Amino acid sequence: MFAWLTANLINIALIAVIALVVGLLIRSMIRDKKAGKSSCGGNCASCGACGKCGAARKSPPGAGAA
């Protein structure tokens, strides 16, 4: 068992670092979502999401979505 750990120590460390970075990114995204931060510029006329964002869902029915 010890020989396997020493033979794969670099791989284990690399996977741990990648997992840590991914975890921090997810945590940051969750915190931004809870704080109401968004990448939306508010210009729905030139948006490629076409009614998929929260601004389009909050608008009255029939206003904006084609």
Side-chain angles (χ1 to χ4, degrees):
M1 178 75 165
F2 186 70
W4 182 86
L5 284 174
T6 56
N8 293 302
L9 189 61
I10 292 177
N11 291 334
I12 294 168
L14 184 61
I15 291 170
V17 168
I18 291 172
L20 178 67
V21 169
V22 169
L24 290 173
L25 286 172
I26 291 172
R27 184 177 129 201
S28 173
M29 290 169 55
I30 291 171
R31 284 185 174 184
D32 287 347
K33 177 81 172 173
K34 286 182 179 179
K37 294 181 183 176
S38 173
S39 62
C40 179
N43 187 3
C44 294
S46 65
C47 182
C50 288
K52 304 273 191 281
C53 71
R57 280 181 267 168
K58 291 176 187 173
S59 65

